[in-house]
Amino acid sequence: GENVEQHPSTLSVQEGDSAVIKCTYSDSASNYFPWYKQELGKRPQLIIDIRSNVGEKKDQRIAVTLNKTAKHFSLHITETQPEDSAVYFCAANGPDSNYQLIWGAGTKLIIKP
Amino acid sequence: GAGVSQTPSNKVTEKGKYVELRCDPISGHTALYWYRQSLGQGPEFLIYFQGTGAADDSGLPNDRFFAVRPEGSVSTLKIQRTERGDSAVYLCASSLWGGRDTEAFFGQGTRLTVV
């Protein structure tokens, strides 16, 4: 079945710098890759997603890139701000026969003032 | 309501007791998912409903766990003979339809503590 690995587990960056979080997946049939942001004690919220028919997607300070050949995708946050501090999860959809999301273990992003 | 609603927000129960967790999805969403999130981990899939039927229950850990969605809207996750290892945040999500690439909207979760 699908397996999603996420790195790093913790990332500390200076306010204003960029942050990059990387994920790999194992199932070549996966075609949907969402990124969720979860603040402490709150629900996961979708911040951006990408489908396998594109290689990059951007939304203001957030971008996601997808390399289908290498089976990895990355989240890029530019000009980081204190409110970007949270745990970020990548995910991939499961095989054709089911509809679950397989999640990475999460990256705790700390923005230093 | 505007979002996915879960009740209760917190539940403390004694080992061996029965609990029910409720999820009210976004109106009109046909797909509903239950996930379980342990501390420091990503959510782990439990079960997926398309309408009233459980289309995929492969994530339920054992037969103590059961979920229903009798009218295709509200869902209840039921846990019998609770164990301390069941302690986690139980998240519900819904999506407009059950496509493999459809955005899922999550509720706030129910934090279950088994003592």
Side-chain angles (χ1 to χ4, degrees), chain A:
Chain A
E2 175 67 284
N3 182 49
V4 176
E5 295 195 355
Q6 183 171 349
H7 300 280
S9 56
T10 304
L11 178 60
S12 183
V13 302
Q14 204 70 40
E15 182 180 350
D17 289 349
S18 295
V20 180
I21 302 170
K22 299 181 179 181
C23 288
T24 61
Y25 62 99
S26 61
D27 190 343
S28 56
S30 293
N31 65 354
Y32 175 62
F33 307 92
W35 285 88
Y36 282 83
K37 176 183 180 182
Q38 188 175 32
E39 296 176 12
L40 190 62
K42 296 191 176 180
R43 73 188 76 195
Q45 292 199 302
L46 182 74
I47 54 171
I48 195 166
D49 57 16
I50 191 166
R51 289 170 176 78
S52 59
N53 57 345
V54 298
E56 184 174 1
K57 184 176 177 181
K58 191 173 181 180
D59 182 2
Q60 299 183 342
R61 296 187 297 109
I62 294 172
V64 57
T65 58
L66 171 65
N67 183 326
K68 287 173 58 181
T69 303
K71 294 190 201 143
H72 63 69
F73 55 114
S74 300
L75 178 72
H76 305 252
I77 306 174
T78 59
E79 300 171 15
T80 52
Q81 300 169 3
E83 54 265 35
D84 295 330
S85 294
V87 178
Y88 291 80
F89 291 97
C90 64
N93 57 354
D96 288 337
S97 60
N98 65 46
Y99 298 86
Q100 59 182 277
L101 286 175
I102 311 300
W103 296 65
T107 296
K108 183 176 183 180
L109 178 62
I110 301 165
I111 307 301
K112 297 181 290 185

Side-chain angles (χ1 to χ4, degrees), chain B residues 5-75:
Chain B
S5 176
Q6 291 187 247
T7 53
S9 54
N10 280 284
K11 176 71 177 178
V12 180
T13 191
E14 292 181 349
K15 179 175 176 293
K17 298 290 188 183
Y18 168 83
V19 295
E20 289 189 353
L21 312 180
R22 176 189 168 106
C23 173
D24 202 338
I26 293 172
S27 178
H29 280 195
T30 63
L32 185 145
Y33 311 79
W34 282 98
Y35 286 83
R36 178 169 68 175
Q37 187 174 26
S38 299
L39 193 63
Q41 303 286 325
E44 173 192 6
F45 171 79
L46 296 176
I47 188 169
Y48 157 67
F49 286 91
Q50 180 58 252
T52 61
D56 182 356
D57 63 357
S58 62
L60 295 177
N62 51 59
D63 61 6
R64 296 187 298 106
F65 289 74
F66 189 70
V68 296
R69 195 186 185 200
E71 297 178 358
S73 178
V74 171
S75 176

